[in-house]
Amino acid sequence: MAGNNKLTEEKIFEAATEEFVDKGMDGARMQDIATRAGINKALLHYYFRTKDHLFDAVFEMIARKIMKRFSPVFDENFSFEDKIRFFFREHISFLQENPKLPGFILNEINRNPARIKKLLSSVDFENIWNTFYKQHKEDLLKYNISKETMPQLMISIAAMSVFPFAARGIIEGALMKSGIEFNDFMEERKKFAAEFVISAISK
Amino acid sequence: MAGNNKLTEEKIFEAATEEFVDKGMDGARMQDIATRAGINKALLHYYFRTKDHLFDAVFEMIARKIMKRFSPVFDENFSFEDKIRFFFREHISFLQENPKLPGFILNEINRNPARIKKLLSSVDFENIWNTFYKQHKEDLLKYNISKETMPQLMISIAAMSVFPFAARGIIEGALMKSGIEFNDFMEERKKFAAEFVISAISK
DNA sequence: CGTAAATTTGACCATATGGTTAAACTAATA
DNA sequence: TATTAGTTTAACCATATGGTCAAATTTACG
């Protein structure tokens, strides 16, 4: 029973993850989640009580997954340039495996800003900057990157990997018209974006 | 009466625009639109028939507005570099006036890709590239930008201005923690992004 | 094996939602 | 001014939606 219990709960969780990522909180339907999980709709409430609770659980799992994937950027012992390359390679690879995540996360950011505010309250940006600064003092000086310009750089880096997936519906169509396949484009982007950024800061 | 007719229809359209941009198609409610417009809900159906029709009308108006604002990039007689500067200045200014648009558009791209496909069917990318190439042949050669790398560059440019607004909910909070105000940050970004891109292609 | 606990089912519930309808009201016209 | 055309209202409708509930079924345990 414990085994079966876990199975039903997991089935629900997986189906809910897919349905929420596809359609967002507003567009997802409990009946559709149940159908997707192959279970009776009442079980959603038995295991997770409400749609909100189910969504919260899914969102937190996703947030954790993302954090876990990218924390190495701040720990790895390699150069600043190689960290930029690492980030693009890893980030785009991750998004290739989860292409609908940017759309989902951005939609949720706009739909429910309070959720994000809460998420941020546990992040110590000062400490992150200090750690990063200690690791890369010389490179930061060399590239003329101050604590003030760092946010502009970080957001540009994030933008360049996330945006194509978030806007995939329009970008994919536009690329097709030029005979370019989206996945090839993103594969190529791992290198293009890294070299673009490194070139930009190497003025 | 004709004057009053126009007024009611306009009131609905404006309220619907705000409500759809705030909440998207899935999150917006006809009753809320009516409340926002200060009219009886049945009038939404009298003037626009269905929620879908109302949404279509709003979306088309927004798409037209965006196209109109940025077509000058392809017409103006100034240098390639100045076009990049012009684009960032205009684009970010536009988004500062309409900060919720990126979130709305990206959400709709993901919610209803067919709509975007239809929008794209009327765009002649080949012609746009040819026109652009004719205007900037020397600059494109100078910066080593081929027809193949152009999409990567264009998408990077779009990403760098759109993404901060689309992810405003998280970026604003993160910046606040560093004592930076979002609007100041975006004002500064007009220059930062342009010089970043020009520097990147000037390898 | 019988009993208790846990899980599942299917019918039902209360409210929300997009939409309809006919009467009332207002504006236009002869 | 009476009639017609257009607009607005408020009640209503049909279905969707998230959730409830009690009976049935399955699992666990002594």
Side-chain angles (χ1 to χ4, degrees):
Chain A
M1 192 219 62
N4 219 27
N5 176 5
K6 276 292 172 66
L7 204 60
T8 303
E9 191 172 343
E10 274 182 32
K11 276 201 275 189
I12 294 174
F13 196 83
E14 281 170 19
T17 300
E18 289 170 12
E19 203 68 15
F20 282 136
V21 168
D22 280 351
K23 302 178 185 173
M25 176 63 173
D26 288 336
R29 295 291 174 256
M30 293 298 257
Q31 182 56 64
D32 291 340
I33 291 168
T35 302
R36 204 167 197 164
I39 52 106
N40 183 298
K41 178 165 75 76
L43 289 181
L44 300 180
H45 302 282
Y46 180 76
Y47 282 96
F48 292 92
R49 282 231 313 283
T50 64
K51 189 179 181 180
D52 272 340
H53 284 162
L54 182 55
F55 187 83
D56 286 347
V58 167
F59 195 86
E60 277 182 31
M61 179 276 290
I62 289 171
R64 239 183 295 120
K65 190 174 163 187
I66 290 169
M67 296 289 186
K68 191 172 174 183
R69 185 68 180 265
F70 298 109
S71 50
V73 169
F74 299 109
D75 299 330
E76 298 293 331
N77 279 333
F78 42 90
S79 75
F80 184 62
E81 288 190 12
D82 282 342
K83 278 194 177 178
I84 291 172
R85 292 189 184 101
F86 172 85
F87 178 83
F88 277 117
R89 200 170 55 242
E90 283 301 305
H91 204 201
I92 292 175
S93 292
F94 176 74
L95 294 177
Q96 281 173 321
E97 293 156 27
N98 303 275
K100 294 181 179 178
L101 264 196
F104 170 70
I105 301 283
L106 291 178
N107 185 38
E108 191 54 23
I109 286 172
N110 290 299
R111 199 191 70 88
N112 185 359
R115 179 188 301 278
I116 303 303
K117 191 163 189 175
K118 193 165 144 201
L119 206 67
L120 284 179
S121 64
S122 61
V123 182
D124 185 352
F125 288 99
E126 203 66 29
N127 192 40
I128 293 174
W129 164 253
N130 289 337
T131 303
F132 205 70
Y133 186 69
K134 280 194 203 124
Q135 288 176 343
H136 299 292
K137 191 171 177 181
E138 293 187 2
D139 280 336
L140 294 176
L141 285 175
K142 171 180 162 191
Y143 293 123
N144 217 10
I145 298 162
S146 64
K147 190 175 172 186
E148 281 71 48
T149 55
M150 192 61 176
Q152 294 280 7
L153 177 62
M154 294 302 281
I155 286 163
S156 300
I157 288 170
M160 285 176 69
S161 59
V162 174
F163 181 76
F165 288 99
R168 181 174 181 165
I170 191 166
I171 288 174
E172 189 165 41
L175 291 177
M176 288 300 276
K177 285 203 156 192
S178 302
I180 304 170
E181 209 270 313
F182 184 80
N183 285 320
D184 292 340
F185 181 83
M186 291 315 298
E187 200 56 44
E188 194 186 313
R189 194 162 182 78
K190 289 174 187 174
K191 189 162 178 332
F192 175 89
E195 300 314 316
F196 187 85
V197 169
I198 289 161
S199 183
I201 60 180
S202 313
K203 41 201 291 189
Chain B
M1 190 220 61
N4 218 27
N5 174 4
K6 277 291 171 69
L7 203 60
T8 304
E9 191 173 342
E10 275 182 31
K11 276 201 275 192
I12 293 174
F13 195 83
E14 282 170 18
T17 299
E18 287 169 14
E19 204 67 16
F20 283 135
V21 168
D22 280 351
K23 301 176 189 174
M25 176 63 172
D26 288 337
R29 296 290 173 256
M30 294 298 258
Q31 182 55 64
D32 292 341
I33 292 168
T35 302
R36 204 166 199 168
I39 53 103
N40 183 294
K41 181 166 73 74
L43 288 181
L44 301 180
H45 302 282
Y46 179 76
Y47 283 96
F48 292 93
R49 285 233 309 284
T50 65
K51 189 180 181 181
D52 272 342
H53 283 162
L54 183 54
F55 187 82
D56 286 347
V58 166
F59 194 86
E60 277 182 33
M61 180 275 291
I62 289 172
R64 241 184 293 121
K65 190 175 166 186
I66 291 171
M67 296 290 186
K68 189 172 177 184
R69 184 68 180 265
F70 297 108
S71 51
V73 167
F74 299 109
D75 300 331
E76 298 293 331
N77 280 334
F78 43 90
S79 75
F80 184 62
E81 287 190 14
D82 282 343
K83 279 193 178 178
I84 291 172
R85 292 189 185 100
F86 173 85
F87 178 82
F88 277 118
R89 200 169 53 239
E90 286 301 306
H91 204 204
I92 292 176
S93 292
F94 176 74
L95 294 177
Q96 281 174 321
E97 292 157 28
N98 304 275
K100 292 182 181 177
L101 266 194
F104 170 70
I105 300 284
L106 291 177
N107 185 36
E108 191 53 24
I109 286 173
N110 291 299
R111 201 192 65 90
N112 184 0
R115 179 189 299 279
I116 304 303
K117 192 164 189 174
K118 195 165 143 198
L119 205 67
L120 284 179
S121 65
S122 61
V123 182
D124 185 354
F125 289 99
E126 202 66 30
N127 192 39
I128 293 175
W129 163 253
N130 289 337
T131 302
F132 204 71
Y133 186 69
K134 280 195 201 123
Q135 287 176 341
H136 299 293
K137 191 172 179 181
E138 293 189 2
D139 280 336
L140 294 176
L141 284 175
K142 171 179 162 193
Y143 293 123
N144 218 8
I145 298 162
S146 65
K147 189 176 173 185
E148 281 69 49
T149 55
M150 191 62 176
Q152 293 280 5
L153 177 62
M154 294 301 282
I155 286 162
S156 300
I157 288 171
M160 285 177 69
S161 58
V162 174
F163 181 76
F165 288 98
R168 182 176 182 163
I170 192 165
I171 288 173
E172 190 165 38
L175 291 177
M176 287 303 274
K177 284 202 158 195
S178 303
I180 304 170
E181 209 270 312
F182 183 81
N183 286 320
D184 292 341
F185 179 83
M186 292 315 297
E187 200 55 44
E188 193 186 314
R189 195 164 180 79
K190 290 175 186 174
K191 189 163 183 318
F192 174 90
E195 300 313 316
F196 186 87
V197 169
I198 290 161
S199 185
I201 61 179
S202 311
K203 43 199 290 185

